[in-house]
Amino acid sequence: MGDVAVGAQEGHGEAERPRQGPEGLDRPQGFEGPEGLQEPKEPTGPEGSPAPAAFDEVKAKKQRSFWKELPLLIGIALVLALLIKTFLVQAFSIPSDSMQNTLQRGDRVLVDKLTPWFGSEPERGEVVVFHDPGNWLQGEPTPQPNAVQKALSFVGLMPSAEEKDLIKRVVAVGGDTVECKGAGPLKVNGKALDEPYVFAGNTACSTDQPGQFKITVPKGRIWVMGDHRQNSADSRYHQDQPDGGSVPVDKVVGRALVIAWPLDRLNTLSVPGTFGQPGIGNAEAAAPAALGLLGALPIVLVRRRRRLAR
């Protein structure tokens, strides 16, 4: 028996010939389909994902798209910050010691600007920021921020730097009678205030002439005082101005809610309990009389009907 030829298949006497397509054309191996010759396909990775070269191209396009969108994202963020500053919350920096120890020089506070838009007015005990009502800050140095600080302050990303604003505590509102005699205590509508927030070593009332007063606050205005009583040029020291040193409600920017900076002083600015004592508010004093009147009204009506029936 002769040796089998190298390359011949078992059971055949000759090597396999290449397959032919239409008109005798040879078909390349691996390119035969149901409709004859086909275009070669792009190489793919596992599960049909693009091959590494194609994947790199897609990744590069995504990176270019991100850098194109970044200015738009920054613009949207700045617009949102401006809207928040204008209508919701604004940061303010404390420039003086007039509110010690409640607030320290350099503290940053967040001020609620939303509720005044809905007609809410300042209440007793609140710490509020308000625009200078009548040259209270005359002669005080004004900060000179650089261009970057001005821009960040404008959109609300930095505390207000150039605006002439003050921050004090509301101790009386329109219709209240507020008075100080001797060293204190401070009285509102005849009720003495227990004021633990007053700076240590200070008296509730200053013994100088402006610090001794008794005034009824006009409607639509508030009477404000600093917690550092002997170091605060507040309503007491502007009684020579119209309405006796009180501040118009429409000058109030908003209520200071939180000490936001520095972080070790993070705290809320709540209303002290002394302002919630019974009888301090005119409305509270009038409440029992109003309830009594409502209770007596049915009795009066019943007696009147009986008289008419007779």
Side-chain angles (χ1 to χ4, degrees):
M1 293 178 62
D3 294 335
V4 177
V6 176
Q9 293 185 345
E10 185 179 356
H12 295 274
E14 59 181 333
E16 182 182 7
R17 294 182 179 180
R19 289 170 289 178
Q20 292 184 338
E23 300 179 0
L25 295 177
D26 292 338
R27 295 181 179 175
Q29 292 288 339
F31 283 80
E32 182 178 10
E35 298 179 359
L37 294 178
Q38 296 179 354
E39 292 286 338
K41 295 182 178 179
E42 292 287 338
T44 59
E47 299 181 0
S49 61
F55 179 76
D56 290 342
E57 183 178 353
V58 172
K59 185 178 179 181
K61 288 181 178 179
K62 288 183 177 179
Q63 289 178 342
R64 286 195 298 270
S65 175
F66 170 77
W67 289 111
K68 287 180 180 179
E69 292 177 357
L70 183 60
L72 177 62
L73 295 175
I74 293 175
I76 293 173
L78 292 176
V79 170
L80 289 176
L82 180 60
L83 291 174
I84 290 172
K85 173 215 169 182
T86 304
F87 299 106
L88 300 178
V89 177
Q90 185 175 357
F92 286 84
S93 178
I94 306 304
S96 71
D97 299 327
S98 67
M99 282 295 293
Q100 285 182 322
N101 273 329
T102 304
L103 298 173
Q104 301 288 352
R105 186 191 297 260
D107 284 352
R108 267 64 168 175
V109 297
L110 298 182
V111 174
D112 167 28
K113 300 178 71 175
L114 177 63
T115 51
W117 286 88
F118 294 95
S120 175
E121 295 189 357
E123 298 182 0
R124 304 176 197 88
E126 294 180 349
V127 177
V128 298
V129 171
F130 55 96
H131 298 311
D132 187 343
N135 296 321
W136 286 24
L137 293 175
Q138 187 174 13
E140 294 290 333
T142 303
Q144 299 297 327
N146 57 40
V148 175
Q149 291 173 325
K150 287 181 180 179
L152 294 177
S153 177
F154 175 74
V155 298
L157 298 180
M158 277 190 66
S160 175
E162 290 185 306
E163 296 178 7
K164 291 188 175 182
D165 299 319
L166 300 97
I167 185 166
K168 305 290 181 188
R169 188 181 298 277
V170 179
V171 297
V173 297
D176 288 345
T177 298
V178 57
E179 61 181 308
C180 254
K181 292 182 179 179
L186 179 69
K187 293 183 178 181
V188 178
N189 297 325
K191 296 289 183 178
L193 300 184
D194 176 23
E195 300 183 283
Y197 46 81
V198 170
F199 185 73
N202 280 194
T203 55
C205 304
S206 301
T207 55
D208 55 2
Q209 183 57 39
Q212 304 291 295
F213 61 88
K214 182 175 183 179
I215 184 171
T216 298
V217 183
K219 292 292 185 181
R221 304 181 77 91
I222 55 176
W223 184 269
V224 296
M225 296 175 71
D227 290 353
H228 196 163
R229 292 289 159 81
Q230 273 74 61
N231 189 21
S232 176
D234 46 42
S235 289
R236 297 170 292 171
Y237 295 91
H238 298 90
Q239 295 183 60
D240 58 334
Q241 295 185 1
D243 295 304
S246 59
V247 177
V249 169
D250 59 13
K251 288 285 187 180
V252 176
V253 176
R255 176 187 171 187
L257 296 176
V258 177
I259 303 172
W261 187 265
L263 293 179
D264 60 351
R265 285 186 46 75
L266 184 66
N267 200 5
T268 57
L269 297 170
S270 58
V271 174
T274 188
F275 290 95
Q277 59 180 298
I280 193 172
N282 291 334
E284 294 170 342
L291 291 174
L293 179 61
L294 289 175
L297 186 60
I299 299 175
V300 173
L301 292 175
V302 168
R303 293 185 64 183
R304 185 177 180 184
R305 285 182 179 178
R306 286 180 178 176
R307 287 178 182 177
L308 293 174
R310 289 175 184 173

